[in-house]
Amino acid sequence: MAGSSEEAPDYGRGVVIMDDWPGYDLNLFTYPQHYYGDLEYVLIPHGIIVDRTERLAKDIMKDIGYCDIMILCVLKGGYKFCADLVEHLKNISRNSDRFVSMKVDFIRLKSYRNDQSVGEMQIIGGEDLSTLAGKNVLIVEDVVGTGKTMRALLSSIEKYKPNMVKVASLLVKRTPRSDGFRPDSHMRDQ
């Protein structure tokens, strides 16, 4: 802002929700009855998530260059976002002049024990990561918190010499413990 010492938010490639955002009034939406009494407001309407996910898919296809993609979905939270993102990627591929092959594999990352971060990260599931050699890899995560777990995963994957690695995340938490990691594509800061 001109003449202001306040720093403007860095929108980068995401939507930013400010800390003082009051959310949308519940009367503007329909939602399941079992949530009545538990919700106070809606932070992000479903339509915005759908539209933003479609835009992320377009950005990913542009970044990767309509090349075949190996998608690593980080479970458990990333499943729904990954499924929606892959559907948008498939739609873009179907409507382009070049078919993009996509293979999805699922991994779990374990870096916590009893809600406490432990020094090392363990990758559970997924095929042998050596199959990532020479491939374009898209890691899909629901929430990036401090960034430490994602950096550890990227370090593990880089050992197998993939052609390219991109990270897409639905949310990025603003936290004082952040190491500054930002995914290549993300929905918003939380």
Side-chain angles (χ1 to χ4, degrees), residues 12-167:
R13 292 178 80 174
V15 176
V16 176
I17 303 292
M18 303 307 289
D19 289 340
D20 59 353
W21 165 241
Y24 293 97
D25 188 280
L26 290 176
N27 293 322
L28 298 172
F29 303 94
T30 59
Y31 56 97
Q33 189 172 4
H34 63 271
Y35 288 120
Y36 288 12
D38 293 331
L39 300 177
E40 296 177 22
Y41 50 85
V42 173
L43 272 180
I44 309 172
H46 181 258
I48 291 175
I49 294 172
V50 171
D51 288 351
R52 184 64 188 136
T53 303
E54 182 177 7
R55 178 55 195 241
L56 290 175
K58 288 178 183 179
D59 291 345
I60 288 164
M61 290 299 254
K62 181 181 172 191
D63 288 350
I64 291 181
Y66 290 84
C67 297
D68 295 348
I69 308 170
M70 176 63 197
I71 300 166
L72 285 180
C73 175
V74 180
L75 297 174
K76 295 182 180 180
Y79 175 75
K80 176 69 170 125
F81 172 56
C82 184
D84 293 344
L85 183 62
V86 167
E87 192 58 37
H88 286 296
L89 290 167
K90 285 180 179 178
N91 287 337
I92 293 168
S93 172
R94 278 186 214 109
N95 294 314
S96 74
D97 57 354
R98 178 169 177 339
F99 175 75
V100 177
S101 172
M102 288 171 241
K103 182 177 180 192
V104 180
D105 204 353
F106 300 92
I107 60 172
R108 289 186 67 191
L109 304 178
K110 190 170 184 177
S111 61
Y112 288 86
R113 186 179 305 126
N114 300 330
D115 294 334
Q116 294 295 315
S117 180
V118 294
E120 59 190 56
M121 185 213 40
Q122 181 183 8
I123 301 171
I124 302 167
E127 289 184 10
D128 176 10
L129 293 180
S130 67
T131 61
L132 301 177
K135 304 245 173 73
N136 296 314
V137 179
L138 175 64
I139 300 169
V140 181
E141 170 72 289
D142 62 340
V143 179
V144 171
T146 64
K148 292 175 185 160
T149 302
M150 188 54 63
R151 283 194 197 275
L153 175 60
L154 288 169
S155 178
S156 294
I157 288 174
E158 289 294 338
K159 294 174 190 172
Y160 299 101
K161 309 252 187 280
N163 182 50
M164 174 190 304
V165 180
K166 297 282 182 183
V167 177

